[in-house]
């Protein structure tokens, strides 16, 4: 129901126009005002859609009233009514954005036609506004999926630079030179908090949120130059924890600063180390050298062993896994490392083992030592027990066939490329972890899953571009892009020409072929 305000100092004029309009429009609500001042007051409270405003009135004339209303409300449509057909009035009215002009006395048909035209325009505006809102919601949903997947790939795999650049451009944010990772430990059954956390970090923060995996929710936080690292991280951590009423199980580990997106994995690993003790009273902890002290001659050795461990786990060589981890413990003992610090290093190797297992589709709970080790003998015994437990899980689940999984994933992406497909959606379809799917694409097919999805969409778009009757906007929506400008940018990135240029190439080639025959 539209609302219309009639403003005129003549009661007969107001009543006559109201009778005409109410007869023509059954779903219209009408109010009256006898001068501009009263009109301003009614508009402020009632918010009409249209105002029929007389010009010459006592107290405050129509032009003065329109000017005052325009200061607070730009959406109301005005029709100027006057018995004086002068250019000066018309010029002022146009300047104030008046939609139409009625010269009194007006015929009933003119009044109805003017109102009908405005209402048709308002209906179209409402329709377009609703459509824009739907498109914006769809775009935000798509951006959230892309953001989540890119964070996952940054932390566990390689992500194509094109997607980072486009994401940054579409989010209209420029990542700071410095960034760090915060990882939120989420208790079982607390998934309903994800939306609250997403809303929290989107307010006043430049943060990318990844997918929660193995009870770990990673956040890539871009440094705010107006705050210290500790102040920014603590404020964000407390804001997230406040959403949960600091219930048992919630904890935030805070990694170190890094300058390149390629280095965020290191910050992520250190945020996990900061979460070694989930019972800390503050419920958050910064990574520090005290949590992971190593000798000056140890880092290269540790890195070499980590690479070997990854290969052994992927190949299922569990005797080699056992020998490697126990050998690291012996090496650190021989180097004079304290037993508790070696236990922390050993735990990192066990975590790496479970992450590699997860990447190949084998789920296992994150291992934790039951108590701090009193000596190296106890540490060796409990470590061996945990490795054997992981081995049993691996042997039970390792019968899955990768080829079938890859074929199923490719087929699903090809058939559903026009939809919003995330790593989580793919993971549920084939019963594998998002991390493993990302890794599998890179290692088995030599391509990221986002690149494969993009190729499917662009190839479909090329076929549609051959039909000049289909608009670029329709093609963008048809192949899965909610924003035509984004589609054009992706197309140009992939083909070095715009969709329009590609279409012209096809049409010119068709003409040349036709003339040749």
């Amino acid at each position: 129901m539209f609302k219309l305000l009639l403003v005129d100092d003549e009661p007969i004029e107001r009543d006559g126009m109201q009778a005409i309009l109410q007869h023509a429009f059954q779903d219209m609500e009408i109010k009256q005002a006898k001068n501009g001042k009263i009109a301003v007051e009614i508009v402020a409270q009632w918010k009409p859609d249209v105002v029929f405003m007389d010009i010459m009135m006592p107290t405050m004339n129509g032009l003065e009233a329109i000017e005052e209303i325009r200061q607070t409300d730009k959406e109301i449509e005005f029709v100027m009514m006057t018995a004086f057909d002068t250019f000066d009035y018309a010029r002022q009215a146009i300047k104030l954005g008046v939609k139409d002009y009625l010269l009194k006395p007006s015929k009933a048909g003119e009044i109805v036609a003017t109102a009908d035209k405005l209402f048709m325009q308002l209906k179209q505006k409402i329709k377009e506004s609703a459509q824009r809102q739907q498109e914006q919601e769809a775009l935000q949903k798509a951006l959230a999926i892309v953001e989540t997947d890119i964070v996952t790939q940054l932390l566990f795999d390689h992500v194509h630079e094109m997607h980072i650049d486009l994401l940054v451009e579409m989010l209209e944010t420029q990542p700071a030179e410095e960034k760090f990772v915060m990882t939120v430990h989420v208790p079982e059954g607390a998934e309903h908090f994800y939306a609250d956390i997403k809303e929290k970090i989107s307010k006043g923060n430049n943060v990318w949120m990844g997918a929660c995996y193995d009870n770990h929710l990673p956040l890539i936080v871009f440094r705010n130059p107006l705050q210290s690292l500790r102040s920014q991280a603590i404020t964000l951590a407390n804001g997230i924890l406040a959403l949960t009423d600091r219930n048992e199980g919630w904890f935030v580990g805070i990694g170190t600063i890094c300058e390149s997106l390629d280095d965020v994995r290191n910050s992520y690993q250190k945020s996990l180390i900061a979460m070694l003790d989930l019972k800390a009273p503050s419920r958050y902890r910064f990574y520090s050298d005290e949590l992971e002290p190593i000798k000056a001659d140890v880092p290269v050795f540790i890195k070499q062993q980590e690479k070997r461990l990854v290969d052994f786990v992927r190949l299922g060589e569990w005797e080699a896994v056992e020998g490697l981890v126990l050998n690291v413990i012996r090496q650190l003992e021989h180097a004079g490392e304290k037993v508790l610090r070696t236990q922390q290093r050993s735990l990192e190797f066990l975590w790496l083992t479970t992450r590699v297992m997860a990447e190949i589709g084998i789920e296992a709970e994150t291992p934790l030592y039951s108590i701090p080790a009193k000596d190296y003998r106890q540490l060796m015994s409990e470590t061996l027990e945990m490795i054997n437990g992981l081995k049993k899980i691996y042997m039970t689940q390792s019968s899955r066939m990768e080829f079938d999984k890859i074929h199923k994933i490719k087929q699903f992406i090809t058939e559903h490329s026009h939809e919003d497909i995330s790593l989580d959606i793919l993971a549920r379809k084939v019963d594998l972890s998002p991390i493993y799917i990302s890794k599998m694409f890179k290692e088995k097919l030599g391509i990221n899953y986002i690149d494969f999805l993009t190729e499917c969409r662009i190839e479909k778009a090329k076929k549609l571009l051959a039909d000049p009757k289909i608009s670029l906007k329709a093609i963008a929506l048809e192949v899965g892009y909610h924003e035509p400008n984004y589609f054009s940018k992706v197309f140009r990135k992939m083909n070095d020409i715009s969709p329009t240029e590609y279409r012209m190439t096809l049409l010119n080639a068709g003409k040349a072929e036709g003339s040749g025959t």
Side-chain angles (χ1 to χ4, degrees):
M1 177 178 288
F2 289 111
K3 297 188 290 187
L4 185 144
L5 177 62
L6 293 172
V7 188
D8 198 307
D9 59 335
E10 294 290 341
I12 296 177
E13 291 282 350
R14 297 197 306 268
D15 292 341
M17 292 192 71
Q18 180 163 348
I20 292 170
L21 290 168
Q22 284 183 332
H23 178 73
F25 304 97
Q26 303 299 319
D27 58 347
M28 181 193 302
E29 186 177 355
I30 300 176
K31 286 190 177 183
Q32 298 182 12
K34 64 182 181 180
N35 58 52
K37 183 178 180 181
I38 296 175
V40 170
E41 295 172 355
I42 292 177
V43 166
Q45 297 179 357
W46 191 48
K47 304 294 182 184
D49 302 293
V50 177
V51 177
F52 279 37
M53 182 78 74
D54 188 21
I55 298 299
M56 300 304 293
M57 295 180 292
T59 308
M60 178 186 287
N61 68 42
L63 291 174
E64 292 171 339
I66 293 174
E67 186 173 7
E68 185 167 336
I69 291 170
R70 277 282 184 245
Q71 293 176 5
T72 56
D73 195 322
K74 306 294 185 183
E75 299 300 320
I76 295 178
E77 304 290 5
F78 289 95
V79 175
M80 188 174 70
M81 303 184 300
T82 181
F84 302 95
D85 187 10
T86 67
F87 175 74
D88 188 53
Y89 283 140
R91 184 179 60 186
Q92 293 183 62
I94 292 171
K95 187 176 180 180
L96 293 170
V98 172
K99 277 290 183 180
D100 216 328
Y101 188 102
L102 284 175
L103 190 62
K104 297 195 300 184
S106 302
K107 296 179 181 180
E110 294 175 346
I111 296 170
V112 171
T114 299
D116 186 56
K117 182 174 68 174
L118 283 177
F119 292 149
M120 291 298 292
Q121 292 174 355
L122 287 171
K123 288 177 181 177
Q124 182 62 27
K125 184 187 293 186
I126 293 171
K127 181 180 178 180
E128 292 174 354
S129 177
Q131 184 177 352
R132 284 195 300 271
Q133 184 175 353
Q134 289 179 348
E135 291 176 353
Q136 186 63 26
E137 290 173 354
L139 176 61
Q140 292 304 316
K141 181 180 178 181
L143 282 177
I145 291 173
V146 174
E147 176 186 318
T148 298
D149 287 349
I150 285 181
V151 170
T152 301
Q153 292 187 66
L154 280 170
L155 299 181
F156 302 104
D157 192 12
H158 172 73
V159 62
H160 199 289
E161 184 178 343
M162 176 185 77
H163 296 290
I164 290 288
D165 293 341
L166 289 174
L167 176 65
V168 170
E169 185 176 342
M170 291 189 69
L171 291 176
E172 298 181 350
T173 58
Q174 182 58 46
E177 291 186 4
E178 294 184 333
K179 66 276 301 174
F180 60 96
V181 175
M182 293 175 59
T183 300
V184 183
H185 183 273
V186 182
E188 291 289 345
E191 293 81 3
H192 59 282
F193 281 101
Y194 295 167
D196 294 337
I197 294 175
K198 182 64 177 177
E199 183 179 358
K200 176 68 179 179
I201 66 175
S202 65
K203 294 180 179 179
N205 297 288
N206 196 357
V207 184
W208 290 351
M209 188 169 89
C212 187
Y213 181 70
D214 198 21
N215 299 111
H216 294 152
L217 181 65
L219 310 174
I220 297 178
V221 185
F222 297 95
R223 285 280 290 112
N224 181 351
L226 301 179
Q227 287 182 282
S228 66
L229 168 64
R230 291 192 65 85
S231 174
Q232 182 181 3
I234 290 174
T235 299
L236 184 54
N238 281 329
I240 292 172
L241 292 170
L243 296 173
T244 69
D245 295 327
R246 296 183 179 268
N247 292 331
E248 189 70 23
W250 288 90
F251 198 88
V252 180
I254 304 166
T256 51
I257 287 287
C258 57
E259 294 186 357
S260 168
L261 285 172
D262 293 332
D263 295 332
V264 295
R265 295 184 210 178
N266 183 44
S267 182
Y268 172 65
Q269 296 294 331
K270 291 182 176 179
S271 72
L272 294 178
I273 294 173
M275 297 169 63
L276 279 172
D277 182 9
L278 299 178
K279 302 295 183 181
S282 64
R283 296 292 180 87
Y284 63 81
R285 177 181 288 173
F286 288 83
Y287 169 86
S288 67
D289 290 339
E290 294 178 358
L291 293 175
E292 190 191 18
I294 53 178
K295 301 293 182 181
D297 57 345
V298 171
V300 175
F301 168 73
I302 292 296
K303 289 296 180 184
Q304 291 173 343
Q305 301 312 304
E306 286 178 346
K307 187 178 184 305
R308 292 180 63 206
L309 177 67
V310 169
D311 294 335
F312 290 151
V313 175
R314 285 176 176 166
L315 294 172
E317 297 179 0
W318 283 92
E319 290 186 6
V321 171
E322 176 185 314
L324 185 148
V325 176
L326 295 182
N327 182 57
V328 169
I329 295 175
R330 294 190 190 98
Q331 290 279 351
L332 293 176
E333 180 183 16
H334 181 72
E337 189 66 275
K338 292 182 180 180
V339 65
L340 289 180
R341 293 177 177 177
T342 300
Q343 185 179 39
Q344 292 171 357
R345 174 62 71 184
S346 175
L347 185 60
E348 183 180 352
F349 272 78
L350 294 174
W351 283 0
L352 178 59
T353 300
T354 58
R355 286 198 295 276
V356 176
M357 289 171 62
E359 290 165 9
I360 59 178
I362 299 174
E363 304 293 336
E365 292 185 3
T366 304
L368 292 171
Y369 288 99
S370 57
I371 57 174
K374 297 180 179 179
D375 51 45
Y376 272 92
R377 182 178 178 181
Q378 179 187 348
L379 175 59
M380 295 277 279
S381 174
E382 191 166 353
T383 301
L384 182 59
E385 183 179 344
M386 286 195 286
I387 291 174
N388 286 330
L390 294 174
K391 176 183 177 181
K392 290 179 181 178
I393 295 172
Y394 180 95
M395 298 304 292
T396 301
Q397 301 183 33
S398 62
S399 59
R400 297 172 181 175
M401 299 297 293
E402 286 188 350
F403 177 81
D404 291 339
K405 297 295 185 183
I406 293 176
H407 177 74
K408 188 175 181 180
I409 292 171
K410 288 178 64 179
Q411 184 177 13
F412 179 81
I413 292 176
T414 302
E415 294 175 355
H416 299 267
S417 62
H418 60 286
E419 300 175 5
D420 294 328
I421 302 177
S422 68
L423 280 173
D424 285 336
I425 291 174
L426 290 175
R428 289 194 293 270
K429 287 292 180 182
V430 296
D431 194 26
L432 289 175
S433 75
I435 299 167
Y436 178 54
I437 291 175
S438 178
K439 281 282 188 182
M440 184 168 58
F441 256 85
K442 187 65 178 176
E443 294 175 0
K444 302 298 181 182
L445 303 178
I447 188 173
N448 293 316
Y449 103 93
I450 288 184
D451 293 333
F452 182 76
L453 172 61
T454 303
E455 287 182 3
C456 291
R457 288 175 168 176
I458 297 303
E459 286 304 313
K460 185 176 181 181
K462 286 180 178 179
K463 295 177 182 178
L464 294 172
L465 284 167
D467 186 348
K469 296 178 181 178
I470 308 177
S471 68
L472 291 182
K473 182 176 181 180
I475 291 175
L477 293 173
E478 178 70 20
V479 301
Y481 293 102
H482 302 287
E483 173 55 53
N485 289 336
Y486 181 49
F487 161 68
S488 296
K489 289 173 183 176
V490 174
F491 192 97
R492 182 180 286 278
K493 288 271 188 179
M494 297 285 290
N495 300 283
D496 294 326
I497 59 174
S498 70
T500 302
E501 292 168 338
Y502 182 84
R503 168 172 274 174
M504 292 302 299
T505 302
L506 292 178
L507 294 176
N508 291 335
K511 291 178 181 178
E513 183 178 346
S515 62
T517 58

